[in-house]
Amino acid sequence: MSIELALIPIAIAAVQGIGTAMEKKMDSKSYSLTTIMKDEAILVKALDHYGCSPKFMDHKGMESEIGDIKILFQQNPDGIFEALFEQDIPQETALEFIKNLQEEYTSIVQQETYLKLLERAREQGLLLETEQVTEDNSIVLTFKVN
């Protein structure tokens, strides 16, 4: 007997999420973009992978730098991170940065989900029979039930 599980890539959600990113004018010196990111630890990993150096701040936020550009990340009341950019940073550049960062974030989420699934399957006595990565980056796992 076999069980098949498909992990739908979270990257699809990231691409759709960037399309609906809400831009808010904060003041004349900065603006913010709402992201899809909620998990602070995963955001830190994504920033590290992207080459940024995140630094935690006192007021439940973090500052990050890429080159000479500083970005402030703060969680809104819904727990979703917003990225604050200085007004002189072109919005197209900011959107591209957020898109790339969200893709890295979703890749990390997918990796962690995959590893947790394998661990839980092993705990339940399931044996991984086959693993297939599809064209849309979904992962199809087939487990053998003992």
Side-chain angles (χ1 to χ4, degrees), residues 9 11 14 31 54 63 65 68 71 74 77 79 82 84 89 94 97 101 131 140 146:
Y31 62 94
E63 182 180 79
E65 295 180 18
D68 59 347
I71 305 151
Q74 291 183 315
E82 294 184 358
L84 282 75
I89 298 170
F97 171 79
L101 184 62
E131 178 177 330
V140 178
N146 284 340

Side-chain angles (χ1 to χ4, degrees), residues 9-22 32-39 42-50 52 71 73 76 79-83 85 93-111 137:
I10 300 171
I12 292 171
V15 172
Q16 292 171 344
I18 192 66
T20 59
M22 299 295 291
S32 75
L33 298 174
T34 302
T35 70
I36 62 165
M37 300 175 280
K38 286 187 170 187
D39 189 300
I42 296 175
L43 174 56
V44 169
K45 285 181 187 179
L47 287 166
D48 283 338
H49 290 180
Y50 199 75
C52 299
I71 305 151
F73 290 92
N76 66 20
I80 299 171
F81 278 97
E82 294 184 358
F85 294 89
T93 303
L95 284 169
E96 183 68 23
F97 171 79
I98 293 299
K99 177 182 173 260
N100 291 336
L101 184 62
Q102 289 182 148
E103 287 175 0
E104 184 63 34
Y105 180 92
T106 55
S107 175
I108 294 168
V109 169
Q110 187 176 17
Q111 262 180 347
N137 216 19

Side-chain angles (χ1 to χ4, degrees), residues 2 11 20-21 30 43 45-46 50 54 60-61 70 72-74 80 90-91 96 98 114-115 121 136 139 143 145-146:
S2 295
T20 59
S30 65
L43 174 56
K45 285 181 187 179
Y50 199 75
K60 190 68 177 159
K70 291 185 181 186
L72 178 66
F73 290 92
Q74 291 183 315
I80 299 171
Q91 290 182 4
E96 183 68 23
I98 293 299
Y114 169 79
L115 293 174
D136 68 352
I139 302 172
F143 291 94
V145 179
N146 284 340

